[in-house]
Amino acid sequence: EDQVTQSPEALRLQEGESSSLNCSYTVSGLRGLFWYRQDPGKGPEFLFTLYSAGEEKEKERLKATLTKKESFLHITAPKPEDSATYLCAVQPGNQFYFGTGTSLTVIP
Amino acid sequence: NAGVMQNPRHLVRRRGQEARLRCSPMKGHSHVYWYRQLPEEGLKFMVYLQKENIIDESGMPKERFSAEFPKEGPSILRIQQVVRGDSAAYFCASSPPSEFGSPLHFGNGTRLTVT
């Protein structure tokens, strides 16, 4: 059965303290892995697409990487405005399967 | 605003009433997905539509729920005879008419409260 697991569920960081979020997946025939950011009361905002193992994408303080079994979202020197829930999704076919997210809080 | 537009943002219905949620996809997008989100839970797939066609409705309850995406106008998610358990945030997302691997772009959701 296709499955997406994100860890940790919640993460508190001091401003400037770098860390990584994990997304593990078991799907047959991955067409794409997607990272989103969701703020309270808003819809998910698209961040990155990764298609194949070894691929990396960067945007400001965020860098996403992909292996055959998991993806990491690395956050370098985070700021309070990076506080949000980060969602991972995989697309094996028509559907997109989402993890339950990592709630990130960055303390000034 | 060229993003995915959902309305209303908040909807309150009494048990037994009907709820209609509307979604206008991004310009140029012809694929629409509906998802449901409960607090502390992930996004749960409900239905995937293209213009005038339901492609995959495997995530939608067979009773009381229906969806459409007509040739003209927004996509509609309709919930008949709502119950308290239908209270949730419903998100619509759209993608372009291209091959697999295009990301979904989401609206800001409709928060349905059933009293």
Side-chain angles (χ1 to χ4, degrees):
Chain A
E1 181 180 314
D2 297 331
Q3 194 168 6
V4 182
T5 304
Q6 290 189 248
S7 63
E9 288 186 13
L11 182 61
R12 288 171 65 90
L13 299 173
Q14 292 289 332
E15 184 172 0
E17 179 187 3
S18 301
S19 189
S20 295
L21 284 54
N22 178 263
C23 171
S24 299
Y25 61 92
T26 53
V27 297
S28 49
L30 181 71
R31 297 184 184 272
L33 184 141
F34 308 88
W35 282 98
Y36 289 84
R37 168 193 171 126
Q38 186 173 23
D39 292 293
K42 298 275 187 75
E45 175 189 348
F46 170 68
L47 294 173
F48 301 111
T49 306
L50 300 166
Y51 294 105
S52 56
E55 191 174 358
E56 297 183 354
K57 293 273 180 75
E58 274 189 79
K59 180 180 178 181
E60 296 181 354
R61 296 177 293 282
L62 300 176
K63 182 167 114 175
T65 62
L66 181 64
T67 71
K68 287 187 177 179
K69 301 267 183 173
E70 58 191 358
S71 177
F72 292 93
L73 185 65
H74 307 277
I75 303 177
T76 302
K79 297 182 177 181
E81 53 262 40
D82 294 323
S83 297
T85 296
Y86 291 84
L87 301 171
C88 163
V90 297
Q91 184 191 24
N94 280 337
Q95 292 190 24
F96 291 72
Y97 295 95
F98 282 81
T100 52
T102 293
S103 176
L104 173 66
T105 303
V106 181
I107 304 158
Chain B
N1 187 341
V4 178
M5 302 301 292
Q6 290 188 250
N7 65 82
R9 287 298 309 277
H10 301 275
L11 183 60
V12 179
R13 284 288 178 266
R14 291 183 179 154
R15 278 178 298 172
Q17 290 186 319
E18 177 180 290
R20 279 185 174 238
L21 288 59
R22 294 175 186 78
C23 169
S24 296
M26 282 182 73
K27 189 175 182 179
H29 287 192
S30 58
H31 297 195
V32 166
Y33 294 73
W34 285 93
Y35 284 81
R36 170 186 161 118
Q37 188 176 45
L38 289 167
E40 310 305 321
E41 292 188 17
L43 288 159
K44 300 297 184 189
F45 168 79
M46 298 182 72
V47 61
Y48 163 41
L49 310 105
Q50 295 178 17
K51 285 281 187 182
E52 300 185 279
N53 282 306
I54 297 175
I55 307 301
D56 183 347
E57 57 182 346
S58 59
M60 199 157 65
K62 296 206 181 319
E63 296 184 357
R64 302 189 298 108
F65 286 74
S66 63
E68 62 177 9
F69 188 17
K71 186 176 179 181
E72 301 290 338
S75 175
I76 306 286
L77 179 67
R78 183 182 179 204
I79 311 173
Q80 295 178 288
Q81 299 175 317
V82 296
V83 300
R84 289 233 172 102
D86 296 332
S87 295
Y90 292 84
F91 289 96
C92 168
S94 70
S95 69
S98 60
E99 294 164 7
F100 292 125
S102 293
L104 296 179
H105 295 270
F106 283 83
N108 280 326
T110 293
R111 277 143 190 86
L112 173 65
T113 302
V114 180
T115 62

